[in-house]
Amino acid sequence: MSRTSAHRAFRRTMNLIAGGKSLAMALKAIVQAVEAEDPEILCSIVLLDAERRRLVMGAAPSLPDAYNQAIEGVEIGPNVGSCGTAAYLGQRVVVEDIQSSPLWEDYRALAAEAGLAACWSQPITAADGSVVGSFAIYHREVRAPDEEDIAFIEAAAELAAIAIDRRRAEDELAASEIRARLSAQQATQTALNLSNFFDV
């Protein structure tokens, strides 16, 4: 991803989040911004569930629905395609040829049906250092990444991490405000109950 396109994608993503749009919309904007840079690629962002054990589809608007549905809920591990393995290991996984990779043994038919030949996946790491998902670039032909491709996928994963961290911070703030409001209401009710008790 060029510096200019990364800046554009960053600004658009932050505007979506600041405008109260969902995380799903922000992640979709990132995927579409990356795909716009190269018409030959397809991209996805998968997240980890609350237990950080299973994949949850974040955004993959250009991948077939059947493929996305098959990935949903898959448990991560050392041989779970590119995305599941990257999330499990916490490191980039480059598969140049899906049909010959042992990582894809259980998913080769699924990839072939979707027309996917190569997949490079970068873990998405939150500000606290935890892996929260992975960003993937797919090709319809067997292909190895060059240095520019690696920088491209790293920038996209970092942008996704920023979006996720920002949304989580806003969610935590909203939850904190709700707790404070409930606590204040409870204190008011307790004071009223005590007042009624002493008035008797």
Side-chain angles (χ1 to χ4, degrees):
M1 181 182 287
S2 70
R3 191 179 298 265
T4 303
S5 61
H7 180 69
R8 264 198 319 267
F10 175 84
R11 191 172 61 240
R12 183 175 176 208
T13 302
M14 292 303 104
N15 286 341
L16 285 169
I17 294 173
K21 300 298 183 185
S22 68
L23 177 60
M25 288 186 70
L27 297 181
K28 183 178 179 182
I30 294 169
V31 167
Q32 290 175 329
V34 174
E35 289 178 341
E37 291 297 304
D38 183 350
E40 300 298 315
I41 64 173
L42 305 170
C43 299
S44 74
I45 295 174
V46 291
L47 306 176
L48 295 182
D49 65 5
E51 289 77 36
R52 298 194 177 170
R53 291 182 54 226
R54 297 185 178 277
L55 299 177
V56 177
M57 189 53 64
S62 299
L63 289 172
D65 288 340
Y67 183 85
N68 292 338
Q69 290 167 9
I71 296 303
E72 184 76 28
V74 168
E75 187 167 352
I76 63 173
N79 295 296
V80 185
S82 299
C83 295
T85 304
Y88 179 79
L89 298 176
Q91 62 189 37
R92 183 184 315 116
V93 172
V94 173
V95 173
E96 300 172 15
D97 181 359
I98 287 173
Q99 294 305 314
S100 67
S101 171
L103 300 182
W104 281 82
E105 185 174 351
D106 294 337
Y107 307 97
R108 285 178 189 154
L110 179 67
E113 190 176 325
L116 307 174
C119 181
W120 318 329
S121 188
Q122 179 78 19
I124 299 171
T125 307
D128 64 4
S130 63
V131 175
V132 295
S134 62
F135 179 89
I137 292 179
Y138 296 87
H139 285 271
R140 297 193 182 279
E141 296 179 353
V142 173
R143 186 159 183 258
D146 58 23
E147 286 184 18
E148 186 177 335
D149 292 325
I150 295 299
F152 197 78
I153 195 171
E154 286 176 345
E158 185 176 341
L159 185 54
I162 291 167
I164 292 165
D165 281 336
R166 174 85 182 260
R167 175 55 68 199
R168 286 184 171 178
E170 290 181 355
D171 289 347
E172 286 172 11
L173 178 61
S176 177
E177 289 174 352
I178 290 169
R179 284 193 296 271
R181 197 175 311 124
L182 290 173
S183 180
Q185 289 172 350
Q186 187 175 18
T188 300
Q189 188 60 50
T190 300
L192 285 172
N193 291 343
L194 287 172
S195 175
N196 290 338
F197 176 79
F198 288 115
D199 284 346
V200 173

